[in-house]
Amino acid sequence: MISVLPFKGSYNIKNKNEIKSQEKKTTCDEQAKPFDLNESLNGYYSRIEIKRVEPVSSDILKHTINNYKGCLLGGAIGDALGWPVEFSSLYSILYEYGEDGIVDLQKNNNKAEITDDTQMTIFTADGLLKSAIKNFNQDKMPDMSIIYNSYQNWLRTQDYRYAKNSNGWIANIPELYARRAPGTTCTGSLEGQIPGSIENPINFSRGCGGVMRVAPVGLMYYKNPKIAFEVGARCAALTHGSPSAYLPAGVHSCIIANIIQGKNIGEAIDNSIEILKTYQGNEDTLTLIEKAKKMAYSSIDPRKAIKKLGEGWYGDEAIAIALYCVLKSPEDFEKALIMAVNHDGDSDSTGAIVGNILGAYLGVDKIPAKWRNSVELAPNIEQLAKDLYAKPKEIKNAQERYPIF
């Protein structure tokens, strides 16, 4: 996730060096349509079988460690898959990786790197757990000041002037002290040290930096999806002031809560939409989600459909693209994730959201082993999932690992 818009330039180029040159020179206002995608189906997406998600209730409780691990690890994998192509045009992706686009994790020192999306998801979980250890109630809001403090700890990991600190085990993971294209809205808001809220927005940002980090909310508040929605939205509003940024975060959290309760994908989305409708400023998010649902049940080429939903740099676009991909391939984690990252926009954020949702729905065992074993910080992420799954008082060495200052 980042607030800078990507290249959208001409594709009349001959080689990779020209691609890079064009990407640096072309403005974001220029429009581009890959010649081979305008009128015909082609590549990986055209081979995806079109299925409608039937609204049949499963009511099978997914409150298992398998689903918790799947949610967090799936998000990290989606983030890592999209990271190498986050700032690339679709045509550049196809030129670099072939007609199917990027389909596998790219490794650096034998690990696929996560970005700020997963980093901030980890620190969201850190704040939620600290607040829960202090006082937890499924029907009440957590202490948002504690979550904000965890985001401040994340900010310190992005500045090399800071050493690792003593604010718990998360803040002392060495690999988190890495700058992976952090969003300017997130860093700028946190540097101001004044938390925003729904009632008192800190800015007017529509960026997706709120929606991509709130999956742990749905895991912790799964018994009360309405509270999950509220907590997710308020976590995002700490840094992002537009309803088009924080309401998608509420939707994301609420969908995961519904899934953990045992709802199928269609039900989870529909239930979250009903809660979304009760919030002011829901129009943009609601319109895009309904559009995504309609196209997911149609025969339109997925590449064209995603383009119609936007590029994912804004929160409402990111959640809409993710839900389109989830509805298009609800039983195949790999297909949905590949679909979610191969487009012009914010590939790592849309990939992370899809990974969170389908990881929660399918469980970690349905995620390809080649990806589970390759993503950066997998053992730490799985441990965090275990802590979220446990009751706060049952977390081993809780006060030491999640201290409150």
Side-chain angles (χ1 to χ4, degrees):
M1 184 284 308
I2 194 166
S3 299
V4 179
L5 292 178
F7 160 71
K8 291 170 58 180
S10 171
Y11 293 131
N12 186 22
I13 47 186
K14 297 180 181 179
N15 57 50
K16 297 177 185 178
N17 289 331
E18 289 184 54
I19 289 175
K20 294 177 180 178
S21 176
Q22 289 283 350
E23 289 183 343
K24 290 179 180 178
K25 295 178 181 179
T26 312
T27 68
C28 294
D29 293 331
E30 295 179 74
Q31 297 297 314
K33 294 183 179 180
F35 68 91
D36 60 336
L37 298 180
N38 285 335
E39 303 299 336
S40 62
L41 301 178
N42 77 301
Y44 183 88
Y45 302 124
S46 63
R47 299 196 292 273
I48 294 178
E49 184 179 356
I50 299 168
K51 294 182 179 180
R52 180 180 178 87
V53 179
E54 297 299 334
V56 178
S57 177
S58 56
D59 288 330
I60 300 174
L61 186 67
K62 293 182 180 293
H63 181 241
T64 72
I65 189 60
N66 186 49
N67 298 92
Y68 276 55
K69 287 182 179 180
C71 180
L72 295 191
L73 201 59
I77 290 168
D79 179 24
L81 183 65
W83 167 229
V85 297
E86 179 183 11
F87 302 107
S88 299
S89 64
L90 176 57
Y91 188 80
S92 297
I93 296 171
L94 302 182
Y95 192 95
E96 179 75 21
Y97 296 98
E99 67 171 353
D100 294 343
I102 188 168
V103 297
D104 205 358
L105 297 179
Q106 306 299 297
K107 298 178 184 178
N108 182 18
N109 294 324
N110 295 319
K111 291 295 179 182
E113 292 181 344
I114 60 168
T115 77
D116 62 315
D117 295 45
T118 302
Q119 290 175 342
M120 294 200 76
T121 299
I122 288 171
F123 278 96
T124 299
D126 178 68
L128 288 169
L129 285 163
K130 287 176 178 177
S131 180
I133 290 168
K134 178 182 177 182
N135 184 25
F136 180 65
N137 187 324
Q138 277 277 0
D139 300 321
K140 294 183 179 181
M141 291 288 298
D143 187 337
M144 297 305 297
S145 67
I146 295 176
I147 296 171
Y148 186 75
N149 184 64
S150 286
Y151 289 157
Q152 288 288 331
N153 287 337
W154 168 77
L155 181 64
R156 293 185 184 97
T157 70
Q158 304 300 292
D159 190 331
Y160 297 122
R161 293 174 300 175
Y162 289 94
K164 292 186 289 295
N165 60 66
S166 59
N167 289 336
W169 76 283
I170 295 297
N172 280 282
I173 297 174
E175 292 84 354
L176 285 176
Y177 286 74
R179 197 173 176 89
R180 303 279 171 77
T184 54
T185 298
C186 289
T187 55
S189 298
L190 293 169
E191 284 169 353
Q193 298 186 7
I194 299 175
S197 67
I198 293 175
E199 295 78 13
N200 297 294
I202 194 171
N203 52 41
F204 299 102
S205 174
R206 293 177 55 205
C208 68
V211 63
M212 55 74 165
R213 68 189 190 219
V214 296
V217 175
L219 297 178
M220 177 162 282
Y221 290 91
Y222 77 97
K223 289 184 179 180
N224 193 333
K226 288 185 178 180
I227 290 293
F229 192 110
E230 180 81 5
V231 176
R234 290 190 176 277
C235 283
L238 289 170
T239 56
H240 289 68
S242 170
S244 297
Y246 61 73
L247 291 182
V251 172
H252 186 194
S253 302
C254 191
I255 287 172
I256 290 174
N258 274 280
I259 286 172
I260 298 301
Q261 280 193 354
K263 300 296 187 293
N264 64 34
I265 295 292
E267 289 176 316
I269 293 173
D270 288 344
N271 290 352
S272 301
I273 287 174
E274 291 307 307
I275 297 175
L276 170 65
K277 290 177 179 178
T278 67
Y279 283 79
Q280 292 185 346
N282 67 58
E283 294 82 7
D284 290 343
T285 302
L286 180 61
T287 297
L288 277 178
I289 291 177
E290 294 288 6
K291 186 176 181 179
K293 287 179 59 182
K294 183 177 180 179
M295 289 194 296
Y297 298 145
S298 75
S299 60
I300 186 173
D301 176 24
R303 284 178 177 165
K304 291 183 179 180
I306 291 173
K307 193 172 187 66
K308 289 177 181 292
L309 293 171
E311 297 183 350
W313 302 105
Y314 300 132
D316 50 1
E317 294 178 356
I319 193 67
I321 291 170
L323 295 185
Y324 171 85
C325 296
V326 165
L327 286 168
K328 202 71 178 173
S329 185
E331 301 296 334
D332 192 321
F333 183 91
E334 187 170 357
K335 280 186 178 180
L337 218 58
I338 290 170
M339 193 188 314
V341 302
N342 284 286
H343 58 85
D344 284 332
D346 197 349
S347 298
D348 61 331
S349 293
T350 52
I353 298 168
V354 169
N356 288 144
I357 294 172
L358 278 190
Y361 183 65
L362 299 173
V364 72
D365 294 339
K366 295 294 181 67
I367 298 175
K370 63 177 181 177
W371 287 352
R372 299 198 310 265
N373 298 330
S374 299
V375 70
E376 186 179 27
L377 293 180
N380 304 92
I381 292 169
E382 290 193 359
Q383 180 58 56
L384 199 56
K386 292 178 181 178
D387 290 345
L388 285 166
Y389 178 70
K391 295 178 181 179
K393 294 182 179 180
E394 295 175 354
I395 297 174
K396 188 176 181 180
N397 300 323
Q399 298 295 337
E400 177 183 345
R401 296 176 63 235
Y402 298 103
I404 302 170
F405 294 94

